[in-house]
């Protein structure tokens, strides 16, 4: 009998339903692994051991009583620490929310539990989801399970490290500019950003409300489909969640797409792309053509990447994102004022303004402050038209390019990240270099479309390589089926890092 941690979420769900393993045994196995290994990886900010064991016992009791267990019955998962839960804390890896207890539970989390999942704990992230390496966490640094001296990516770095080191069967992360897909790529797991509006954002602490979306990180594409099926759908608490019907992603994922047309994004697969990552994209393309797909070259002119005389990269998408996202963040983060939420300065202050500024100065980290200042500037009178309004126009052009592309092809294929996992500390001194980590993921959020990152083996130094598939609005079903075609073509072997292999 395979050990619970060796099983995919789907296999574990089936084994629990069949009575081959209990939810309590599976949960215990994960909690023990966290106890043993998370000291080195630090994926979790909080572990809810007692609560998880209680939930598991309820599921085992339900099974004994002959009740159905739900599509994730007994599967131990993690959630990112920016999703509100009525138990434990919701910290956003920020000092300002270090002791914040949310009064309610996020819809996506509620849905996961309703589907039978057991929540093990909350995972580390860049503070307020701002970053690409999880080094902006005010609580702890998370290591990449493939090489502990490297970053797991970010901002859902704890989620990706946890999935890849087998410290949970699957996870929920959030993606505003790449925060699910980029860490999934750097840690060697699957990460899906759904269409904007596919999953309720109710109870997700807001960073940039027109871009944020919750999605799954998993060991393989069918598990990601299973997780998405559980959390997708309209929610009366989130007016931006869509009424569009939710397909049964888990049921259709094994069905290859007949006559799949795949667009290779010319602007993404250029000479400046790292050779090994380019080879990974070619390998994925070959899997698709072997499965009967046709390739078409597609141009997304407004997602173009330029190389400066000194070799620095730039793109409209990154520039546009850092206006829109920071503008929204500066507004969303205004609520942390020392009076309504979170940290309040212990110092004696003269007036309310001083209370605000002192509490915020103590509570926010440098990157968050940088974003608030950038966003406030972009929205300030006299600069609004020059920056914010202009960025909205660029955003529209980027989205129009995608709309035109999906008139010609079913999915687009390209890289997820410009490089493999980088060394801790390598980019912390240079925010702009850090921002460029999302050069291939950001335009997806600006356009609101779904995209998935999936692993394509290891590079010459043993670090995960990944590719990204993109689809049109609400085309998750097609996206997952196409991703599964790649996974199957590759032999579909799960990548297990040294940190996840420790015990047998
Ligand atoms: N790395 C990007 C940023 O720092 C994206 C983060 C995210 O998707 N939450 O804003």
């Amino acid at each position: 009998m395979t050990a619970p941690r060796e099983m995919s979420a789907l296999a574990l769900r089936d084994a629990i339903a069949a009575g081959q393993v209990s939810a309590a045994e599976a949960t215990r196995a994960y909690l023990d692994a966290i106890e043993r290994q998370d000291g080195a990886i630090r994926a979790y900010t909080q572990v809810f051991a007692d609560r998880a064991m209680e939930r598991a016992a309820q599921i085992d009791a339900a099974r004994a009583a002959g009740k159905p267990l739900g599509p994730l019955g007994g599967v131990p998962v993690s959630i990112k620490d920016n999703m509100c839960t009525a138990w434990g804390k919701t910290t956003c890896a920020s000092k300002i929310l270090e002791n914040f207890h949310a009064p309610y539970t996020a819809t996506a989390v509620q849905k996961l539990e309703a589907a039978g999942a057991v929540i093990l704990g909350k995972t580390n992230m860049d503070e307020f989801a701002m970053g690409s390496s999880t080094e902006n966490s005010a609580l702890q640094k998370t290591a990449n399970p493939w090489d502990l001296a490297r970053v797991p990516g970010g901002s859902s770095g704890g989620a990706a490290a946890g999935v890849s080191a087998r410290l949970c069967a699957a996870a929920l992360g959030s993606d505003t500019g790449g925060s699910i897909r980029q860490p999934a790529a750097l840690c060697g797991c699957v990460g899906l950003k759904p269409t904007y509006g596919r999953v309720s954002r109710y109870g997700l602490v807001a960073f940039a409300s027109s871009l944020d979306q919750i999605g799954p990180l998993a060991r393989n594409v069918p598990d990601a489909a299973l997780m998405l099926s559980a959390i997708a759908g309209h929610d009366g608490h989130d007016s931006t969640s869509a009424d569009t019907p939710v397909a049964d992603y888990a049921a259709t994922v094994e069905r290859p797409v007949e006559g799949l047309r795949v667009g290779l994004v010319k602007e993404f697969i250029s000479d400046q792309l790292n050779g090994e990552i380019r080879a990974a994209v070619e390998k994925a393309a070959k899997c698709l053509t072997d499965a009967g797909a046709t390739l078409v070259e597609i141009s997304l002119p407004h997602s173009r990447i330029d190389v400066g005389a000194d070799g620095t990269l730039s793109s409209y998408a990154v520039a546009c994102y850092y206006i829109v996202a920071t503008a929204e963040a500066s507004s969303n983060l205004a609520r942390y004022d020392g009076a309504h939420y979170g940290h309040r300065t212990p110092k004696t202050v003269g007036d309310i303004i001083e209370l605000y500024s002192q509490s915020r100065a103590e509570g926010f980290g440098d990157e968050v402050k940088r974003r608030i200042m950038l966003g406030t500037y972009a929205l300030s009178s006299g600069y609004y038209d020059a920056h914010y309004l202009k960025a909205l126009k660029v955003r529209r052009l980027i989205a129009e390019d995608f709309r035109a592309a999906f008139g010609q092809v079913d999915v687009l294929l390209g890289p997820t990240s410009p490089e493999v996992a980088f060394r801790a500390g390598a980019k912390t001194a240079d925010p702009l270099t850090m921002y460029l980590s999302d050069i291939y993921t950001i335009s997806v959020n600006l356009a609101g479309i779904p995209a998935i990152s999936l692993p394509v083996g290891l590079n010459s130094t043993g670090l995960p390589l990944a590719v990204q598939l993109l689809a049109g609005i609400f085309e998750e079903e097609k996206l997952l089926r196409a991703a599964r075609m790649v996974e199957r073509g590759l032999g579909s072997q799960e990548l297990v890092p040294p940190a996840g292999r420790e015990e047998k």
Side-chain angles (χ1 to χ4, degrees):
M1 168 84 199
T2 323
R5 282 176 64 225
E6 312 255 314
M7 292 183 215
S8 67
L10 196 62
L12 181 57
R13 189 265 322 256
D14 289 343
I16 291 170
Q20 291 155 354
V21 59
S22 68
E25 283 165 337
T27 304
R28 180 47 60 208
Y30 276 104
L31 290 172
D32 287 349
I34 293 169
E35 182 87 34
R36 263 196 323 272
Q37 294 169 18
D38 204 40
I41 296 172
R42 296 178 300 278
Y44 284 89
T45 52
Q46 297 169 80
V47 178
F48 308 124
D50 294 342
R51 189 177 182 281
M53 287 309 293
E54 268 166 42
R55 288 273 310 156
Q58 285 165 11
I59 286 157
D60 290 330
R63 187 181 176 274
K67 294 192 189 131
L69 301 186
L72 285 165
V75 176
V77 301
S78 67
I79 57 176
K80 186 173 176 177
D81 207 353
N82 59 352
M83 292 172 207
C84 289
T85 46
W87 66 91
K89 294 185 288 183
T90 300
T91 73
C92 282
S94 179
K95 273 212 177 75
I96 214 156
L97 288 178
E98 206 169 358
N99 293 306
F100 175 63
H101 293 266
Y104 64 94
T105 301
T107 300
V109 177
Q110 266 179 13
K111 284 189 155 202
L112 262 195
E113 289 207 316
V118 174
I119 294 167
L120 295 166
K122 289 189 171 176
T123 55
N124 197 26
M125 53 186 281
D126 286 297
E127 184 177 1
F128 284 101
M130 297 173 184
S132 304
S133 66
T134 313
E135 290 167 295
N136 292 337
S137 168
L139 306 182
Q140 65 204 40
K141 302 263 186 276
T142 298
N144 189 308
W146 291 90
D147 176 349
L148 301 181
R150 290 173 191 269
V151 301
S155 65
S156 312
V163 168
S164 110
R166 295 178 162 183
L167 300 179
C168 53
L172 288 188
S174 68
D175 192 314
T176 305
S179 276
I180 289 175
R181 291 159 288 153
Q182 186 259 9
L186 270 47
C187 289
C189 58
V190 171
L192 169 69
K193 187 212 83 88
T195 304
Y196 182 78
R198 181 69 301 180
V199 178
S200 169
R201 290 183 295 114
Y202 181 69
L204 171 70
V205 178
F207 161 11
S209 306
S210 77
L211 301 160
D212 298 340
Q213 190 62 195
I214 293 176
L217 293 98
R219 292 187 196 170
N220 58 32
V221 176
D223 279 5
L226 188 64
M227 291 285 281
L228 181 65
S229 295
I231 60 171
H234 179 65
D235 176 13
H237 290 302
D238 173 5
S239 60
T240 65
S241 74
D243 239 338
T244 319
V246 180
D248 189 348
Y249 307 112
T252 57
V253 67
E254 298 292 352
R255 232 183 279 156
V257 186
E258 289 284 332
L260 182 75
R261 293 161 305 163
V262 180
L264 287 171
V265 186
K266 192 171 93 188
E267 287 77 7
F268 289 177
I269 307 165
S270 61
D271 293 341
Q272 68 251 25
L273 180 62
N274 165 298
E276 290 184 313
I277 291 173
R278 190 190 175 116
V281 174
E282 283 159 4
K283 202 162 145 189
K286 180 158 189 315
C287 292
L288 289 168
T289 49
D290 286 352
T294 47
L295 297 181
V296 185
E297 191 181 84
I298 290 286
S299 175
L300 301 172
H302 299 94
S303 294
R304 184 179 90 220
I305 294 163
D306 294 316
V307 198
D310 59 350
T312 27
L313 303 180
S314 63
S315 85
Y316 291 138
V318 173
C320 170
Y321 171 87
Y322 278 93
I323 298 284
V324 174
T326 59
E328 294 183 18
S330 75
S331 163
N332 275 326
L333 271 59
R335 71 188 63 160
Y336 308 103
D337 56 7
H340 294 94
Y341 286 99
H343 175 77
R344 183 191 193 111
T345 181
K347 293 193 183 135
T348 314
V349 290
D351 59 14
I352 187 84
I353 299 296
E354 213 187 312
L355 171 75
Y356 291 166
S357 50
Q358 190 57 35
S359 301
R360 287 163 69 84
E362 291 167 9
F364 289 134
D366 288 351
E367 184 58 31
V368 175
K369 288 177 182 161
R370 185 178 294 123
R371 306 269 179 125
I372 292 171
M373 288 188 280
L374 277 171
T376 306
Y377 176 79
L379 290 176
S380 58
S381 116
Y383 296 101
Y384 183 94
D385 289 4
H387 301 301
Y388 185 66
L389 215 58
K390 194 166 201 172
L392 292 186
K393 291 176 184 168
V394 174
R395 180 177 190 173
R396 167 60 70 88
L397 293 172
I398 290 170
E400 291 294 340
D401 282 355
F402 281 113
R403 202 199 305 262
F406 292 121
Q408 292 178 64
V409 294
D410 297 297
V411 292
L412 294 170
L413 171 66
T416 307
S417 161
E419 58 186 336
V420 294
F422 44 93
R423 289 193 176 279
K427 300 187 184 185
T428 39
D430 183 358
L432 278 182
T433 313
M434 190 70 91
Y435 296 174
L436 290 170
S437 304
D438 296 305
I439 202 158
Y440 300 114
T441 49
I442 269 177
S443 50
V444 162
N445 301 72
L446 291 168
I449 60 175
I452 190 167
S453 177
L454 61 155
V456 185
L458 302 177
N459 79 347
S460 53
T461 58
L463 295 168
L465 292 162
V467 298
Q468 183 180 210
L469 282 168
L470 292 60
I473 301 271
F474 296 116
E475 295 280 17
E476 278 85 355
E477 188 190 330
K478 203 195 276 175
L479 180 68
L480 286 157
R481 289 167 65 193
R484 183 62 175 157
M485 288 164 76
V486 175
E487 204 171 52
R488 258 215 231 94
L490 292 168
S492 174
Q493 81 284 35
E494 179 198 336
L495 299 180
V496 187
R501 278 180 227 140
E502 232 159 84
E503 39 111 44
K504 265 274 156 182

